[in-house]
Amino acid sequence: EPEVTQTPSHQVTQMGQEVILRCVPISNHLYFYWYRQILGQKVEFLVSFYNNEISEKSEIFDDQFSVERPDGSNFTLKIRSTKLEDSAMYFCASTPGSGYTEAFFGQGTRLTVV
Amino acid sequence: AQSVTQPDIHITVSEGASLELRCNYSYGATPYLFWYVQSPGQGLQLLLKYFSGDTLVQGIKGFEAEFKRSQSSFNLRKPSVHWSDAAEYFCAVGGRGADGLTFGKGTHLIIQP
């Protein structure tokens, strides 16, 4: 069964450093998303991406965040200058098209900022 | 703005007993509703979804959920829980395409022997 894959599974970084989280969505999917889950809290929508541009973004997705689809398969989330409060599980997801179907989630990347 | 409320933070159920997890939503248009399950350290797995049609939907692992528009609810049920059902359960509401999902805070399900 096709799946969304994320790398790395766990990343530790120092405060102020840049991190790039990587995702490979399901190959024929058109919409891509990033979500964040701070430990013990709910999953929060960050951004959606369609046709090589951001479609929607939440208040959380400020100027320190950016997303990119550098090639035909990868979808990345960059955090420019990490803060302690960026420590969270980051989930990538994808959906097949504009008519809504369920989002398929990756296993997540646990980011720890020290 | 859309929102999801899961009023129960923790629920403890005996193995073999029935289960109902509550979910209420607020959404301005026709909602698309989902239940996801998250085992410790794992990602989110879709249990079931409601888009339209029959208001009682069946999912994986023996779960079902009923959409009640008049109550803005989408409660998850299982007639007999197994120890492996212990996990965090998230209800979510979404629209179309780019909107993304709005999740509830989750219900932590504990199964006691």
Side-chain angles (χ1 to χ4, degrees):
Chain A
E1 185 177 328
E3 59 180 18
V4 177
T5 57
Q6 291 185 242
T7 55
S9 57
H10 191 185
Q11 174 133 14
V12 181
T13 189
Q14 291 203 326
M15 192 168 52
Q17 295 297 303
E18 174 184 286
V19 294
I20 297 176
L21 310 182
R22 302 181 192 280
C23 169
V24 178
I26 295 172
S27 63
N28 61 347
H29 283 193
L30 301 178
Y31 281 85
F32 315 117
Y33 310 82
W34 284 101
Y35 291 81
R36 179 182 80 176
Q37 184 184 30
I38 294 172
L39 186 64
Q41 298 188 26
K42 67 178 179 179
V43 178
E44 300 171 291
F45 169 73
L46 292 178
V47 66
S48 61
F49 191 86
Y50 172 72
N51 201 25
N52 284 319
E53 60 184 23
I54 290 174
S55 294
E56 297 287 341
K57 58 183 181 179
S58 71
E59 295 173 349
I60 304 167
F61 194 87
D62 60 23
D63 291 344
Q64 69 160 345
F65 291 95
S66 63
V67 289
E68 193 178 35
R69 189 158 163 81
D71 52 43
S73 59
N74 290 285
F75 178 52
T76 62
L77 174 69
K78 181 192 291 186
I79 309 175
R80 239 177 296 281
S81 177
T82 50
K83 303 190 279 282
L84 294 176
E85 53 265 38
D86 293 326
S87 295
M89 182 76 92
Y90 289 82
F91 291 107
C92 174
S94 66
T95 61
S98 57
Y100 210 88
T101 64
E102 70 266 26
F104 292 78
F105 282 80
Q107 292 295 95
T109 293
R110 178 161 298 285
L111 176 66
T112 303
V113 182
V114 297
Chain B
Q2 59 201 53
S3 65
V4 176
T5 301
Q6 293 180 248
D8 304 305
I9 298 173
H10 299 278
I11 282 189
T12 301
V13 178
S14 297
E15 190 170 15
S18 64
L19 170 72
E20 182 169 30
L21 302 183
R22 295 182 290 166
C23 172
N24 292 96
Y25 69 90
S26 173
Y27 194 75
T30 301
Y32 298 91
L33 295 158
F34 308 85
W35 276 98
Y36 283 88
V37 61
Q38 184 183 33
S39 297
Q42 300 297 309
L44 296 163
Q45 182 182 23
L46 179 72
L47 285 175
L48 46 77
K49 61 185 183 283
Y50 172 78
F51 292 152
S52 65
D54 193 347
T55 56
L56 183 64
V57 292
Q58 303 296 320
I60 62 171
K61 305 185 180 186
F63 286 93
E64 66 178 27
E66 186 170 12
F67 170 60
K68 292 185 177 180
R69 185 185 297 275
S70 61
Q71 298 177 20
S72 297
S73 69
F74 188 56
N75 294 347
L76 181 72
R77 301 194 293 249
K78 186 170 183 177
S80 176
V81 297
H82 186 262
W83 64 266
S84 60
D85 293 324
E88 192 83 17
Y89 289 80
F90 292 96
C91 181
V93 65
R96 294 175 61 87
D99 294 348
L101 295 174
T102 297
F103 283 83
K105 291 187 176 181
T107 297
H108 184 61
L109 176 63
I110 300 165
I111 307 296
Q112 62 183 20

